[in-house]
Amino acid sequence: MSLAQRAALLVYGRAAAFGLSLVIPVALVRLLAQDEYGSYQQLVLLYATAQAFLLLGVPRSLSYFFPRLGPGGHAQLLRQSVALLAMTGLLAIVLGLGAQLLLTDHPLQPYLGLLGLYTALMLLVAPLQNLLVVEGRERASALSMVGFVIVDVVVMPAAVWLRPDVWGILWGITVAATIKAAVSLGYAWHRYLAHSGGRPFVREQLAYGVPVGMMAMVGILNLNIDKYLVGLFFPVGAFAVYYIGALWAPVFNWTTQSVVQVVIPRLSAAHHRGDLAAMQQLRSRMASRMALVYFPLATLMAIIARPLIELMFTSAYAGAVPIFTIYLLLLFNRPFGSGEVLMAAGRTRFLFRLALAVGLLNLGLSLLLLARSGLGLLALPVATVTVSWISAFAILHRSNRELGVTAGAAYGWRTLAAILASSALAGAVAWQAAAPFAGATVIAVAIAAYSVAFALAGRLTGALGPAEWRLLRNLRPF
């Protein structure tokens, strides 16, 4: 199976999981008051921020260490990984209970203890998908994504239907997390934990993983600074609208995550051999394949933004459309800003320092635009997108230095320009074709027109040559 096919399995799994997961917000916005839904999303933000650091980079460290170890080392890697996550899980519970005792006047105070338990359970779930990928079991990883989302889809709406408030959601996600943790630990026990391991190397794993965990935490803070500021300066109802607008572009990271999950172990093995030419070739090929997904996807989603959001979340959330459209600009830097080369080379400290600098810049720019620009809520996605592009350029420059290549030789820029031009041409055609229609018909007509126009434009510009068509045929799910 080729790398593209392995990555495609994960993309299909994440896409299916994403599609199924949309049932959850669609159900929640109809079962909950807007303030209750806004409070739940604030709790999700706290969870995501805490989890990013408490993971200690363990899932990512599997991708780095697993290709460099033998079978005995694999068992030891899993044993110490689970032990580390169990300890940070206990810390999450203690922090949650402590915050609940101390923050007596905060509106989220009653929920923090249970949120700590949920976080502890999800820490134990997190490494499973990366583990399956480094084992070469991408199909099982994709099925686990879908299976875990099915658990959420069944449990969460049922819990909220029984108790339509924040408590109902929290108990629902905690029950779902318990099921997932049992599955993850059962698999790890059967494959690794029940077997003897080799020499412990906890210090080496932490040296790699802790900067990754800190980078992930800062990265989440960076991507969510806008939401923190909305929570501080705008009413809860505005937070709910803003969340819907900001939901989609980060979620589309499932393609980036899938490709990076497959590529990093190969890059790590090549780096271990000192084969920088193989690393460069793989990076360039990965970027062109990701651009072939992200450039047309961002263009099409901009065209159908309003009817899609109003159809799924009702016209009450129409204010999310301009926020959503600005965030789509993030998709255009995804082929360049994932940092896979630096992760494979163990340059996690650089990535952490960059994430910290970008986070501070995002905060400063967000506050400046809020105070001076008159953009209101739109100031926040503008700031976030701007600093994300700055980060992408910094990663591109450092990766080029790591591999010893120039910016001109780093990627197939002509191919990337052809994909971008094809996307723009197809977007213009789809916009005109869908203009006379309204509602869901706009979505159907735009998708059909865009698909045909992109295929023709891609052939005209050279973006879709014989190799790309063979790739697309090989990536068919059935």
Side-chain angles (χ1 to χ4, degrees):
M1 188 185 299
S2 69
L3 290 181
Q5 288 171 316
R6 291 178 185 276
L9 283 172
L10 299 179
V11 171
Y12 296 142
R14 283 194 167 92
F18 173 62
L20 288 170
S21 70
L22 289 177
V23 172
I24 296 171
V26 168
L28 294 185
V29 297
R30 287 162 171 80
L31 292 170
L32 296 173
Q34 204 169 63
D35 286 357
E36 293 278 356
Y37 186 67
S39 296
Y40 164 64
Q41 292 302 338
Q42 288 176 325
L43 289 170
V44 169
L45 197 56
L46 285 175
Y47 156 73
T49 305
Q51 189 212 36
F53 177 70
L54 293 172
L55 280 172
L56 299 178
V58 166
R60 287 290 184 92
S61 71
L62 297 182
S63 298
Y64 179 79
F65 285 105
F66 204 92
R68 301 168 183 245
L69 299 170
H74 294 163
Q76 180 59 37
L77 176 62
L78 265 294
R79 182 176 286 108
Q80 63 193 40
S81 296
V82 171
L84 288 170
L85 294 177
M87 288 188 289
T88 57
L90 289 174
L91 178 60
I93 294 171
V94 170
L95 290 175
L97 292 173
Q100 186 170 338
L101 291 173
L102 294 173
L103 302 177
T104 53
D105 295 329
H106 197 281
L108 299 180
Q109 177 266 343
Y111 315 116
L112 297 178
L114 187 55
L115 185 67
L117 175 60
Y118 170 72
T119 303
L121 291 167
M122 289 304 295
L123 289 173
L124 298 173
V125 177
L128 178 62
Q129 289 171 10
N130 270 42
L131 175 60
L132 291 169
V133 170
V134 295
E135 290 178 334
R137 306 185 67 203
E138 287 83 5
R139 190 181 303 275
S141 181
L143 290 174
S144 74
M145 298 175 203
V146 176
F148 283 172
V149 170
I150 290 174
V151 172
D152 289 333
V153 169
V154 171
V155 173
M156 285 181 62
V160 176
W161 182 75
L162 292 171
R163 181 165 181 170
D165 58 14
V166 177
W167 281 113
I169 305 176
L170 277 179
W171 280 113
I173 62 176
T174 302
V175 170
T178 303
I179 297 171
K180 298 175 195 176
V183 171
S184 300
L185 289 176
Y187 180 82
W189 175 265
H190 173 70
R191 297 278 292 185
Y192 300 101
L193 301 182
H195 306 286
S196 59
R199 178 186 65 85
F201 53 99
V202 177
R203 180 175 297 180
E204 291 89 340
Q205 187 176 8
L206 289 176
Y208 180 90
V210 169
V212 174
M214 296 174 71
M215 176 186 70
M217 182 182 70
V218 173
I220 287 177
L221 289 171
N222 181 26
L223 285 176
N224 291 291
I225 280 172
D226 54 341
K227 300 179 186 66
Y228 294 127
L229 293 177
V230 172
L232 285 174
F233 297 114
F234 296 89
V236 174
F239 186 93
V241 171
Y242 190 89
Y243 175 80
I244 294 300
L247 168 68
W248 295 74
V251 167
F252 286 135
N253 277 342
W254 36 257
T255 301
T256 306
Q257 292 167 1
S258 301
V259 174
V260 168
Q261 270 186 307
V262 171
V263 166
I264 284 182
R266 276 80 182 174
L267 288 172
S268 179
H271 184 266
H272 191 55
R273 299 191 307 268
D275 192 351
L276 300 184
M279 295 179 71
Q280 165 57 25
Q281 184 181 22
L282 184 54
R283 176 180 74 147
S284 179
R285 191 166 75 247
M286 182 189 85
S288 64
R289 298 300 184 251
M290 290 173 66
L292 196 58
V293 173
Y294 278 131
F295 291 1
L297 177 64
T299 307
L300 175 60
M301 294 300 290
I303 294 170
I304 63 174
R306 180 172 295 278
L308 181 65
I309 287 178
E310 291 185 353
L311 177 66
M312 297 195 65
F313 301 104
T314 75
S315 58
Y317 289 86
V321 173
I323 299 164
F324 167 79
T325 305
I326 294 171
Y327 269 116
L328 286 174
L329 294 173
L330 290 174
L331 298 185
F332 290 98
N333 71 26
R334 288 296 178 259
F336 320 109
S338 57
E340 69 287 343
V341 168
L342 301 178
M343 292 289 293
R347 305 294 183 255
T348 55
R349 292 185 180 180
F350 167 80
L351 290 171
F352 165 63
R353 290 195 296 268
L354 175 64
L356 185 60
V358 167
L360 293 173
L361 179 60
N362 193 6
L363 177 61
L365 184 58
S366 295
L367 292 172
L368 178 64
L369 291 178
L370 278 174
R372 301 291 181 84
S373 68
L375 291 173
L377 275 176
L378 296 184
L380 301 172
V382 168
T384 301
V385 169
T386 300
V387 299
S388 175
W389 273 96
I390 293 172
S391 175
F393 282 122
I395 289 172
L396 173 62
H397 175 69
R398 181 59 184 265
S399 298
N400 290 344
R401 284 179 53 194
E402 187 71 33
L403 296 177
V405 299
T406 63
Y411 297 105
W413 295 109
R414 208 171 271 182
T415 299
L416 296 175
I419 296 171
L420 185 61
S422 301
S423 301
L425 288 171
V429 171
W431 179 272
Q432 290 297 320
F437 301 97
T441 309
V442 172
I443 300 174
V445 171
I447 291 175
Y450 191 92
S451 300
V452 174
F454 184 77
L456 295 174
R459 182 176 291 275
L460 178 66
T461 62
L464 292 176
E468 285 71 28
W469 285 113
R470 282 197 302 272
L471 174 69
L472 293 174
R473 284 195 296 270
N474 289 335
L475 298 185
R476 288 176 299 185
F478 303 107

